[in-house]
Amino acid sequence: MRARSLDEALASLDGDGKILAGGQSLVPMLNMRLVRPARLVDINAVPGLDAVRARPDGGLDVGALVRHTDLLTSPLVQARAPLLAAAAAHVGHRAIRNRGTVGGSLAHADPAAELPAALLALDAGVVVAGRAGHRRLPLAELFVGLLTTALAPDEILTGIEIPEARAAGWGFAELARRAGDFAIAGVAAVVRGGPDRCTGARLVAFGADDRPVRLRAAEDAIVGRAPSAELAARAAVEAPRDCRPSSDVHASAEYRAHLVRVLAEDAVRDAVGRLAA
Ligand code: FAD
C-alpha cells in the first residue's frame, strides 16, 4: 500500500508489513525470497521526508527519503557535510543513487555501505517515529549487527540529524573491485582542531566488521598532536586493532585488516590536510 501520511504508514506496519523506500536493497531481497513480508508499505508519498534543511547550530537535518543523488548535488550538503557527499559518490551506479534513500541505507545496515560510516564519523543521530511518538538515538546505537538495527518492525526512520562540522577536516577512502561495487573495505574520517593541534577525531571503518566501527586506538593516536602526513601514517598503524574483518570470496580477513590500515592513512592524511588548509 502507498501511505499518504506518516500516521497511515505507521498504522499499516502492524503484523508483517515492511517499509519500501528506494527499493534498491529490498526488491533484490524479495526477488531472492530472502524476505517474505505480508504487505509492503510504500513511504515515498509521505510528505516532509525528502528535504535537506540547515539547522540553526550549523548542522543539517536530512530526511529519510533524501536520495543518494540529492546528497551529491545539494549545495547545503556540499557546504556543511562534504564528507557525506563524497561518500554518496561511491554508492552503486547512477540508477541506484537516483532511487536509493539515505534512510533506507541506514535501515538496511549493510556493514560495507558508505553512508552509515560517513554519518557515524559525522556523529549523526536518527529520528525514529513509532505509534507512541518520536525517539532519537545516536547512530552508534542504531547498528546492532549484520543487516540488523535497533529499529522495531513497526518503527519508521524519518530523518538524520548531523551536528555542525564545517571547521573539521574530513577524508574518505575505499577500495572496491569495480566502480559502483560495494567496497571491500573503507574508512571515513573527521578530524577537528587547527593547524597546530588536533582536538578531536572520529574514524570509522566499513566492510571490516559486522557493522561500521569506530577506530578508537587510531583516534587516540591523533588527538593532541599536530596534524601532518606523518601523524596519519602513525595513527593508521593502530586502525586494524578495533575491527574484526571476516573472509569471503572477495578478500581474506587479513587483507581487509591491511586495507583498513592503508585506507585509514589516506583518509586521515586528507582530513588533516583540509584542517591545516
Ligand atoms: P529499500 O531497499 O527500500 O529498503 C531497505 C530496507 O530498509 C528494507 O528492509 C526497508 O524495509 C527498510 N527501510 C527503508 N526505509 C526505511 C525507513 N525510512 N525506516 C525504516 N526502515 C526502512 N549501497 C551502498 O551503500 N554502497 C554500494 O556500493 C551499493 N551498491 C549497490 C549496487 C546495486 C547493484 C544495488 C541494487 C544496490 C546497491 N546499494 C549500495 C544499495 C543502495 O544503497 C540502497 O539504496 C540502500 O541500501 C537501501 O536504500 P533504499 O532506499 O533503496 O531502501
Side-chain angles (χ1 to χ4, degrees):
M1 64 87 63
R2 195 166 171 80
R4 302 281 164 189
S5 70
L6 197 55
D7 285 344
E8 198 184 346
L10 288 168
S12 308
L13 278 175
D14 60 339
D16 195 14
K18 197 140 186 69
I19 296 162
L20 174 71
Q24 299 304 299
S25 296
L26 181 57
V27 172
M29 289 199 300
L30 290 169
N31 286 344
M32 290 183 275
R33 307 294 190 267
L34 293 173
V35 288
R36 293 166 181 263
R39 185 183 323 111
L40 287 182
V41 180
D42 180 350
I43 59 169
N44 284 278
V46 173
L49 300 185
D50 60 354
V52 177
R53 294 193 178 87
R55 294 169 62 86
D57 65 359
L60 281 178
D61 286 329
V62 179
L65 285 179
V66 167
R67 314 279 160 182
H68 308 326
T69 296
D70 300 329
L71 297 175
L72 275 167
T73 57
S74 159
L76 265 178
V77 175
Q78 291 286 351
R80 296 191 172 200
L83 168 61
L84 190 55
H90 289 272
V91 177
H93 306 282
R94 187 184 294 261
I96 289 142
R97 293 194 292 268
N98 285 345
R99 291 300 304 162
T101 66
V102 60
S105 179
L106 292 177
H108 186 57
D110 191 309
E114 287 87 355
L115 301 183
L119 286 164
L120 184 56
L122 286 164
D123 200 12
V126 290
V127 184
V128 178
R131 276 180 235 174
H134 285 77
R135 66 182 177 117
R136 289 180 158 73
L137 73 163
L139 221 53
E141 291 175 25
L142 179 70
F143 305 115
V144 297
L146 182 73
L147 303 181
T148 310
T149 69
L151 295 175
D154 59 354
E155 287 185 315
I156 299 176
L157 196 160
T158 56
I160 298 102
E161 298 176 331
I162 306 174
E164 189 279 326
R166 275 175 294 187
W170 61 273
F172 186 90
E174 73 167 46
L175 185 85
R177 288 173 66 237
R178 297 171 305 185
D181 280 3
F182 273 99
I184 294 176
V187 175
V190 173
V191 179
R192 291 181 184 270
D196 298 330
R197 204 167 70 92
C198 303
T199 56
R202 291 179 69 94
L203 270 55
V204 177
F206 55 101
D209 210 313
D210 68 352
R211 66 195 85 175
V213 281
R214 293 273 301 276
L215 304 176
R216 292 185 187 269
E219 293 173 359
D220 290 346
I222 293 170
V223 177
R225 297 191 168 81
S228 68
E230 294 71 36
L231 177 68
R234 277 205 306 278
V237 172
E238 308 294 332
R241 285 173 51 167
D242 288 298
C243 45
R244 295 165 300 150
S246 52
S247 301
D248 60 21
V249 290
H250 301 302
S252 67
E254 292 73 23
Y255 180 58
R256 283 197 162 89
H258 169 73
L259 277 183
V260 168
R261 184 186 68 70
V262 172
L263 297 169
E265 181 174 345
D266 289 349
V268 174
R269 194 180 49 241
D270 288 349
V272 297
R274 289 185 170 106
L275 197 60

